[in-house]
Amino acid sequence: MCKTEVLDKFQQAREKFLGLSLESTRKSYYPQLRQQLSTIQENEKRLRLLTDNLPARISFIDAEQRYLFVNREYERVWKIPREKILGQRVETVVGPENYQKIEGAIRQALAGQRMRFEAAIVEGDGRPVWLEINYVPYTDADGNQAGFYALTQDISERKWAEEALRESEAKNRELVQYAPAGIYEFDLQRRRFVSVNHVMCEYTGYTKEEFLQLDPRSLLVEEKDQHIYDAFMREVHSGRLNPKTAEFAIRCKNGSQIIVLLNIRFFAEDGHPKRMMAVAHDITAVREAETAKQNLEVKLQETQKLEALGTLAGGMAHDFNNLLMGIQGNASLALLDIDSSHPMYQRLKNIESYVQRGVDLTRQLLGLARGGKYEVKTTDLNALVKASADMFGRTKKEIQLQYDLEDRLWPADVDKGQIEQVLLNLYINAWHAMPDGGNLVISTANVSLGETDVAPYSIPAGRYVRVSVADTGFGIDPSIRRKIFDPFFTTKGIGTGTGLGLASAYGIIKNHQGAIDVTSKVGQGSVFFFYLPASDKAVDRGRTGAEQLATGSESILLVDDESMVLEVGQQLLEALGYQVTTASSGQAAIDIYEQLNASIDLVILDMIMPQMGGSDTFDRLKTINPDVKALLSSGYSIDGQATSILNRGCNGFIQKPFTVNILAKKIREVLEG
């Protein structure tokens, strides 16, 4: 259409409009306009009511970043009437700091880009809040970017809840990672670990990555534990998801083992087992302590049993010694009257030999009974060990002896004869364990034992000398390990052993305030070892010299409740040239001494007597004559009651049964001081 045509049409329309009367125009258009205006006003009222009551901030911002519309929520937030907000720039209303956080999004919205983001701002009352902001660009009828609508919601509670949840999860992760227990999670569907904490990795020695790759059955040491695990899995997959507690032996990365107590919880989804979480406590130390306690209880029971048997053996040995005293005394008397050419001489010597074997047996019984030490001296155990082992080795050529002796071994206060007996018993025991020959290693060492070390043996902590006898024999079966120190227990056939060797060794060492024990593995040999308290005194080197029968003519009062001992003792003393008076009880001895004390040079006093024993009798004799000379005689040892009597002034001690030579020597020692 050309310009002329447009002008013509405009002119026609103008003439038509001017031709209409004002009244007709009012009647035709005004009602329609009023209706439209009313509708617009009603819609605006509804829109205002809606926007003012929404819990969100709604606004329109023009291209100059000025507010052209805000709802009532803006008034509440910024504490400014909306009339004062309208026409204001965004930066002026929200403040420079808040504006910096949203400026970039505003510019993008004005460029026509729809924006949705979150921002943390400070409201008009100074309260920090989190907002979710939506910017919707608005284009006018001419297609120009006229501004944008802004819809803003306060999401502070949600954000704070999320933050609290994140903090809680972080704390929980920290707690799980460093809790005083191992914790891991296991996927029941895929049969694999999905998480593990730091402590569980420390328990097992694996890194987190290594642990998560493990087959759980590979951690279990014992086959029974693997069966328990398999049973667990079958039960879980059958739908039984009850909490469980179980104890397992776990194999660590370095090959060592620990014992863990697992508290297990199962989780399911839609009724199907999904995962398992376990809390593991390392109870290795607890179980070891329980085992140690059980071992201590066993050792205590063994000690009590041996003490009871020792008491019985001690009484038997005492009576047997008196019997041997009678036999020995009569043999000695007979030998005094004959020479070696006499037909009965050899038989009498045989009797003495048999008596000596009986004496050895009673010594073992007394050792079992812990009846004391006979003659205690500060001793170099290296020399004692070497001498006894060399003597044993000369008779057992099939045994190879090896020594590992401490260079500066501490001395010990011991009865040499008894410790030699212990060593000989251990050598013989090792020889029996190596019938085809082997190696016997004898070691000594200085050791300092602490409270933990001595707990199994009921001895005080301190300095000890350790003596070990190790063999390469067939070892000791665990089933008989606890019985080896029992009296009369032997693995040898009937008639080939008394079963007193190790029992007497146990008694002797315990009587020396020491301890004896054994370690052994079947097929790998045994190591018997004992501890003796170290002494601070110098080693007693002793004296040597030829002995001969000593005689005398002094007056002796012989006191013993056994008529057999009294009779043979009197005859032995008289054979040695002494004048003898006898008393069969303590009271009889007191009565005799009160009458004859001026003429009695020596009292030989039995220690164990009914009614008035040797201790009370000696005290009464001292009351009568403070300078009384007394020789104490007993089938028991010098320890205990005998030591107490000696400390109160008794002049000497002689062990029953004794030969005439020993008796003669002891009498002269006492009489001559």
Side-chain angles (χ1 to χ4, degrees):
M1 184 180 296
C2 66
K3 183 176 180 181
T4 304
E5 291 176 342
V6 172
L7 290 173
D8 289 344
K9 285 185 174 292
F10 176 76
Q11 184 63 31
Q12 293 174 5
R14 180 173 177 274
E15 291 175 353
K16 183 179 179 180
F17 177 77
L18 292 176
L20 294 173
S21 66
L22 183 62
E23 183 65 26
S24 63
T25 301
R26 182 182 296 113
K27 290 181 179 179
S28 300
Y29 292 100
Y30 277 18
Q32 185 176 356
L33 290 173
R34 281 198 299 270
Q35 180 64 35
Q36 291 177 347
L37 179 62
S38 176
T39 301
I40 291 171
Q41 290 174 339
E42 185 65 27
N43 288 339
E44 183 180 351
K45 180 179 179 181
R46 290 174 180 172
L47 181 62
R48 175 66 65 179
L49 182 65
L50 174 64
T51 57
D52 282 348
N53 287 279
L54 283 174
R57 307 168 197 180
I58 301 174
S59 63
F60 180 80
I61 299 168
D62 68 8
E64 302 298 326
Q65 298 190 28
R66 293 173 300 185
Y67 286 105
L68 298 186
F69 169 81
V70 294
N71 69 345
R72 186 176 295 168
E73 186 70 8
Y74 269 84
E75 291 182 318
R76 185 189 68 77
V77 170
W78 298 110
K79 311 300 181 187
I80 304 173
R82 77 175 79 183
E83 292 78 10
K84 293 185 177 182
I85 295 176
L86 297 177
Q88 297 290 330
R89 286 180 59 83
V90 174
E91 182 178 4
T92 303
V93 175
V94 302
E97 291 186 4
N98 290 333
Y99 180 73
Q100 288 180 1
K101 298 176 181 179
I102 61 176
E103 180 183 10
I106 289 175
R107 294 188 183 282
Q108 288 179 286
L110 290 174
Q113 185 175 346
R114 185 165 185 164
M115 301 297 297
R116 181 175 182 176
F117 63 98
E118 294 177 357
I121 69 170
V122 178
E123 293 186 336
D125 58 1
R127 185 173 66 94
V129 295
W130 271 96
L131 300 178
E132 182 185 90
I133 303 172
N134 288 273
Y135 289 163
V136 180
Y138 172 73
T139 304
D140 63 14
D142 295 328
N144 298 318
Q145 194 66 43
F148 61 88
Y149 285 97
L151 176 63
T152 304
Q153 281 187 298
D154 187 338
I155 58 171
S156 300
E157 290 188 5
R158 190 192 81 194
K159 294 293 288 187
W160 292 334
E162 290 175 352
E163 183 66 22
L165 180 60
R166 283 193 295 271
E167 289 180 1
S168 176
E169 289 176 345
K171 289 178 181 178
N172 288 337
R173 284 194 298 271
E174 189 78 6
L175 178 63
V176 168
Q177 281 298 318
Y178 297 99
I183 301 175
Y184 64 84
E185 191 175 3
F186 187 73
D187 188 319
L188 293 169
Q189 300 296 326
R190 294 182 293 168
R191 300 283 184 99
R192 56 173 293 182
F193 295 109
V194 292
S195 69
V196 62
N197 75 341
H198 174 71
V199 177
M200 194 67 191
C201 292
E202 280 190 343
Y203 281 172
T204 59
Y206 291 101
T207 65
K208 177 181 177 181
E209 293 73 18
E210 290 172 336
F211 190 93
L212 296 181
Q213 297 301 318
L214 290 174
D215 177 353
R217 295 179 88 257
S218 68
L219 286 170
L220 302 176
V221 175
E222 300 182 11
E223 187 176 347
K224 68 177 181 63
D225 290 345
Q226 296 179 352
H227 290 325
I228 292 174
Y229 166 79
D230 292 338
F232 270 4
M233 297 307 296
R234 288 194 297 271
E235 187 173 350
V236 168
H237 285 283
S238 69
R240 293 191 288 273
L241 301 178
N242 298 322
K244 299 183 183 299
T245 300
E247 186 175 310
F248 294 106
I250 297 296
R251 181 183 291 105
C252 302
K253 182 179 178 180
N254 62 4
S256 64
Q257 298 179 15
I258 61 172
I259 301 174
V260 296
L261 180 66
L262 293 181
N263 293 296
I264 303 170
R265 296 293 183 274
F266 300 100
F267 302 91
E269 290 182 6
D270 301 325
H272 298 290
K274 179 67 175 177
R275 60 191 176 91
M276 173 186 81
M277 180 169 284
V279 178
H281 295 276
D282 183 354
I283 60 171
T284 307
V286 174
R287 292 293 176 260
E288 288 176 348
E290 290 175 351
T291 301
K293 180 182 178 182
Q294 292 171 356
N295 291 338
L296 284 174
E297 290 173 349
V298 169
K299 285 185 178 293
L300 177 60
Q301 292 170 359
E302 290 176 351
T303 300
Q304 292 171 339
K305 175 180 64 179
L306 290 174
E307 285 177 349
L309 288 169
T311 301
L312 173 63
M316 293 170 57
H318 176 263
D319 293 341
F320 194 38
N321 268 339
N322 283 332
L323 178 62
L324 291 174
M325 183 69 245
I327 298 171
Q328 176 65 64
N330 279 289
S332 295
L333 286 170
L335 286 169
L336 289 175
D337 295 333
I338 62 176
D339 58 27
S340 59
S341 63
H342 193 282
M344 300 300 294
Y345 179 84
Q346 189 56 49
R347 293 183 180 179
L348 290 171
K349 293 300 288 183
N350 288 342
I351 291 174
E352 279 197 326
S353 176
Y354 299 148
V355 168
Q356 188 57 48
R357 289 176 62 180
V359 169
D360 291 340
L361 181 59
T362 58
R363 282 179 179 268
Q364 293 205 50
L365 285 171
L366 285 172
L368 166 65
R370 291 192 241 166
K373 303 178 286 290
Y374 304 136
E375 189 175 2
V376 177
K377 292 184 179 180
T378 305
T379 303
D380 176 6
L381 289 178
N382 271 349
L384 191 64
V385 165
K386 190 72 165 58
S388 61
D390 286 346
M391 180 180 66
F392 174 78
R394 285 193 291 271
T395 63
K396 302 292 185 291
K397 299 296 184 180
E398 68 275 21
I399 303 296
Q400 303 299 316
L401 294 180
Q402 299 177 29
Y403 299 99
D404 182 14
L405 307 180
E406 181 90 25
D407 289 337
R408 296 183 178 180
L409 191 67
W410 295 328
D413 295 330
V414 300
D415 182 307
K416 289 185 178 181
Q418 285 192 327
I419 299 304
E420 283 179 340
Q421 179 183 324
V422 170
L423 291 168
L424 183 61
N425 288 342
L426 296 182
Y427 300 155
I428 292 173
N429 187 75
W431 173 56
H432 287 152
M434 300 183 292
D436 299 323
N439 295 326
L440 187 62
V441 182
I442 302 103
S443 307
T444 60
N446 298 324
V447 294
S448 294
L449 301 182
E451 295 293 342
T452 303
D453 302 317
V454 301
Y457 305 116
S458 300
I459 57 176
R463 299 190 315 142
Y464 287 83
V465 178
R466 174 183 167 124
V467 179
S468 304
V469 177
D471 64 63
T472 56
F474 40 69
I476 302 172
D477 190 282
S479 63
I480 65 172
R481 161 65 187 83
R482 295 179 179 177
K483 303 177 183 179
I484 59 175
F485 292 115
D486 286 3
F488 313 113
F489 175 78
T490 178
T491 58
K492 296 185 284 292
I494 297 175
T496 59
T498 63
L500 285 175
L502 292 178
S504 65
Y506 178 91
I508 290 170
I509 296 301
K510 293 297 286 184
N511 183 59
H512 280 74
Q513 287 73 56
I516 185 170
D517 207 345
V518 62
T519 59
S520 182
K521 287 187 178 180
V522 175
Q524 299 183 30
S526 304
V527 180
F528 282 86
F529 57 91
F530 59 84
Y531 299 103
L532 292 172
S535 174
D536 294 324
K537 295 183 286 186
V539 173
D540 185 348
R541 300 301 175 183
R543 294 177 295 174
T544 59
E547 296 184 5
Q548 58 183 6
L549 191 63
T551 60
S553 59
E554 288 88 348
S555 176
I556 295 177
L557 173 60
L558 178 62
V559 186
D560 200 297
D561 65 309
E562 289 285 346
S563 58
M564 176 178 57
V565 175
L566 208 58
E567 179 183 348
V568 73
Q570 180 179 2
Q571 293 177 36
L572 285 172
L573 291 170
E574 288 175 346
L576 293 171
Y578 297 104
Q579 301 173 46
V580 183
T581 303
T582 62
S584 60
S585 67
Q587 185 58 56
I590 298 301
D591 295 340
I592 293 171
Y593 196 75
E594 284 179 334
Q595 298 176 16
L596 305 176
N597 76 83
S599 62
I600 294 178
D601 300 298
L602 175 67
V603 178
I604 299 178
L605 179 63
D606 187 25
M607 188 172 71
I608 306 299
M609 296 184 293
Q611 297 178 349
M612 184 184 292
S615 179
D616 292 338
T617 302
F618 176 73
D619 291 340
R620 293 283 297 277
L621 293 172
K622 289 281 286 184
T623 302
I624 299 170
N625 177 14
D627 297 323
V628 62
K629 290 186 176 182
L631 177 63
L632 193 63
S633 172
S634 176
Y636 289 105
S637 72
I638 198 171
D639 258 11
Q641 188 180 17
T643 300
S644 175
I645 299 172
L646 291 169
N647 290 338
R648 298 203 302 272
C650 188
N651 304 88
F653 176 84
I654 187 169
Q655 177 75 33
K656 294 179 184 177
F658 44 77
T659 65
V660 66
N661 300 71
I662 294 175
L663 177 62
K665 178 183 177 182
K666 285 288 185 181
I667 290 174
R668 297 321 306 168
E669 286 179 358
V670 173
L671 289 174
E672 296 171 9

